[in-house]
Amino acid sequence: MRAARLISLVLLLQSRGTMTAGELARELEVSERTVYRDVEALSAAGVPVYADQGRNGGYRLVGGYRTRLTGLSREEAEALFLSGLPGPAGEMGLADAVAAAELKVLAALPATLRDAPVRAGQRFHLDAPGWFGDAGTPPLLRDLARAVWRDETVVLRYRKDREVTRTVDPYGLVLKNGTWYLVGRVGGQPRTYRVDRVKAVEPAGAVFERDETFDLARQWDEQAAAFVRSMLREEITVRLTPDGLRLLRFAVEPVAAEQAAETAGEPDERGRRVATLRVESLEVAASQLMQLGAEVEVLGPPSLRARIADGAARLAALYAG
């Protein structure tokens, strides 16, 4: 445990230059007293860690000291070669950079771990696009990736229902089920655009100041959750068997299934529970709930109950012979 922490401390100083004891403690999730002891241990082992005094002081490595990746375990080394996404990186024009980085990591590994990329490649493969999606690369993806890297404001010509022009600060790119999305800000407000609907990208001639508190993963999760909630406009009442409650998440939106489980009442003598379920529309709900058969009963509204009853009757008639 301590050996891994010492290596992490050296790598932090190697990548960031000067860091205070407080900053190191936060990164390593230890106390400042532990940082002081770790620095003493590194110095005793011959690692040239130097303490700068004063207001802007901190710890740094002396003389351009660099460590080789001899502290990596086999699991960590193999994980390094799983962390890259060769397909998406290639689509963004970064295939050469990824290959070069992997070669440098490989050169720094000890001989006993140099089979890590082969072992990882033999065992894991990421196929990001969906089965029936178009796996083609959006033609303007590389232009947008370049703008994202450089924090360059761009003017987009974008088409959904109609063609519009927007001046966007491009904060990041997200790959979801084989489809690329641009996450950015327009007039300070968050916006998301499907990259394959972008018809033109022009530099706006300005560099924006990135909000350092911006978290791309959190922003994407929040927007995705808000989008799903906005779709669920109708509310219905259902009675679910234990199996029905368990399987509901495979038939409807997961967030709706979670909310239904939270609102479910006490089980009756047969273990069935009444719950409120939010759905996109009654038509969509009929299609979704028919998948669960007798594990779910629609109690209301009456129009949806009648629709499912009619569907069940027609299905029974089809198989009666």
Side-chain angles (χ1 to χ4, degrees), residues 53-160:
Q53 304 299 319
R55 182 177 179 182
N56 297 318
Y59 292 107
R60 63 183 176 87
L61 296 172
V62 179
Y65 177 86
R66 308 290 291 180
T67 181
R68 291 171 64 85
L69 300 180
T70 53
L72 287 175
S73 68
R74 171 163 292 281
E75 290 79 6
E76 291 167 338
E78 290 172 354
L80 279 175
F81 291 96
L82 283 176
S83 62
L85 308 179
E91 291 180 2
M92 289 189 292
L94 298 174
D96 291 343
V98 170
E102 288 187 349
L103 283 174
K104 290 178 181 178
V105 172
L106 186 59
L109 289 174
T112 55
L113 296 182
R114 287 181 185 166
D115 64 339
V118 175
R119 285 172 53 84
Q122 287 174 337
R123 288 162 174 78
F124 301 99
H125 171 65
L126 174 67
D127 184 10
W131 280 108
F132 305 108
D134 181 4
T137 303
L140 296 173
L141 177 61
R142 293 191 179 193
D143 294 336
L144 291 171
R146 189 178 305 112
V148 167
W149 279 116
R150 298 176 180 177
D151 294 341
E152 291 180 344
T153 301
V154 294
V155 178
L156 300 185
R157 194 152 49 81
Y158 184 81
R159 184 170 188 84
K160 188 177 179 183

Side-chain angles (χ1 to χ4, degrees), residues 12-63:
L12 281 169
L13 295 178
Q14 185 172 299
S15 62
R16 301 188 189 180
T18 301
M19 296 182 69
T20 65
E23 290 170 339
L24 287 166
R26 284 192 294 275
E27 288 286 346
L28 299 171
E29 298 182 348
V30 296
S31 67
E32 290 189 29
R33 184 179 297 275
T34 298
V35 171
Y36 299 144
R37 289 198 296 264
D38 286 351
V39 169
E40 290 178 3
L42 288 170
S43 297
V47 178
V49 181
Y50 180 78
D52 287 317
Q53 304 299 319
R55 182 177 179 182
N56 297 318
Y59 292 107
R60 63 183 176 87
L61 296 172
V62 179

Side-chain angles (χ1 to χ4, degrees), residues 152-157 165-168 198 200-205:
E152 291 180 344
T153 301
V154 294
V155 178
L156 300 185
R157 194 152 49 81
T165 301
R166 295 286 185 267
T167 300
V168 182
V198 176
V201 179
E202 296 292 340

Side-chain angles (χ1 to χ4, degrees), residues 235-237 282 286 298-310:
E235 193 173 273
I236 66 174
T237 305
L282 298 185
V298 173
L299 302 179
S303 60
L304 177 58
R305 183 179 174 89
R307 184 193 293 263
I308 290 183
D310 178 64

Side-chain angles (χ1 to χ4, degrees), residues 175-195:
L175 180 63
K176 171 72 171 178
N177 289 342
T179 301
W180 285 96
Y181 295 87
L182 174 71
V183 178
R185 288 183 176 177
V186 176
Q189 298 302 311
R191 294 289 185 271
T192 300
Y193 301 94
R194 272 186 59 150
V195 174

